[in-house]
Amino acid sequence: FREMAVSGVKATSVVYGATLNACAKRGVWVLALQLVREMADRSVEADVFVYGQALNACDKGGEWAVALQLLREMAGRSVEANVVVYTTVLSACDQGGQWVLALALLREMTDACVDRGIMTYVAAVNACGKDGEWVAALQLFRSMVDSSVRRDTAIYNALISACQTGAERVRALQLFGEMADFRLERNAVTYGAVVSACEENWQLALRLFRDMAGSCVEA
């Protein structure tokens, strides 16, 4: 990429996008941000794909503040954010434990008429869970169900983890049982979260562990 600049060859949005994709895979957010700035300086159009790759780099690098900055920049450059963009920013918020910001972004998606997908909710619930905000997590889940978004294992894992962090053993067990009602797969993450939630009741934790073994789930 730098050889092109030295040779006087003008980089196109496609070249920038490919370079940003490489940055995203490695979480090199500083370089990704520099490239987006460079595109603006050279009047190279940055589309939603370009910003999406830069946001992926921020997500992998755990830079929620930079991700939010890029999201705001998109609006300033009239690049419409889609569900993938918002979900990536929410994922960065999850890593940073920014649950209040995550809730604000969900409201923003509604105002902008951007549909919320299951992974959008998973990221937001995870952000709540990092801070033990299990009530907010359950409220999001109810909102998701009301919006007819199909529930899956990932959302229940996020909810059970939120309850575990918030020391809500009873709620965690209720959610664990609900998964069976909806015939959802319980994986190692599910069992790990619910067993951790029951760690003060060793008999119950042992029973869950044996249930996991009986279900042929690898620990």
Side-chain angles (χ1 to χ4, degrees):
F1 180 83
R2 294 307 178 196
E3 287 181 8
M4 289 180 62
V6 172
S7 303
V9 179
K10 186 178 180 180
T12 64
S13 60
V14 174
V15 174
Y16 274 105
T19 309
L20 282 162
N21 184 41
C23 292
K25 289 178 179 177
R26 294 166 179 79
V28 188
W29 67 272
V30 174
L31 179 57
L33 189 61
Q34 289 174 349
L35 290 171
V36 172
R37 297 287 179 267
E38 188 175 299
M39 291 180 74
D41 293 341
R42 297 186 178 186
S43 300
V44 179
E45 183 181 358
D47 57 15
V48 69
F49 172 76
V50 165
Y51 275 102
Q53 295 304 324
L55 287 167
N56 277 329
C58 292
D59 178 24
K60 284 190 172 62
E63 291 293 327
W64 64 268
V66 180
L68 182 63
Q69 180 183 342
L70 285 171
L71 178 64
R72 299 302 175 230
E73 185 178 306
M74 288 179 67
R77 295 182 69 177
S78 300
V79 180
E80 188 174 343
N82 56 24
V83 62
V84 176
V85 165
Y86 273 105
T87 301
T88 305
V89 179
L90 282 163
S91 179
C93 290
D94 161 24
Q95 293 196 56
Q98 298 294 316
W99 68 275
V100 175
L101 177 57
L103 296 182
L105 287 170
L106 284 178
R107 289 192 292 270
E108 186 177 306
M109 290 179 73
T110 300
D111 294 341
C113 299
V114 178
D115 290 335
R116 302 171 178 181
I118 181 63
M119 294 313 298
T120 309
Y121 282 101
V122 169
V125 168
N126 275 329
C128 293
K130 287 274 171 55
D131 232 13
E133 294 292 334
W134 62 273
V135 174
L138 286 173
Q139 288 173 344
L140 283 176
F141 178 63
R142 294 190 189 101
S143 173
M144 185 196 88
V145 172
D146 291 343
S147 300
S148 300
V149 177
R150 188 174 180 179
R151 62 188 84 198
D152 67 0
T153 297
I155 192 67
Y156 274 97
N157 286 350
L159 288 165
I160 293 171
S161 293
C163 291
Q164 179 256 317
T165 305
E168 278 294 320
R169 182 185 68 192
V170 174
R171 294 281 184 178
L173 288 169
Q174 287 175 346
L175 290 163
F176 182 76
E178 200 173 290
M179 291 181 74
D181 296 338
F182 287 93
R183 297 182 179 179
L184 295 174
E185 178 189 3
R186 296 161 166 173
N187 56 26
V189 175
T190 314
Y191 278 99
V194 74
V195 168
S196 294
C198 299
E199 61 183 8
E200 292 186 7
N201 187 330
W202 69 268
Q203 291 174 316
L204 180 55
L206 181 59
R207 193 183 314 146
L208 287 165
F209 182 79
R210 286 175 175 164
D211 178 65
M212 180 179 71
S215 301
C216 298
V217 175
E218 290 187 8

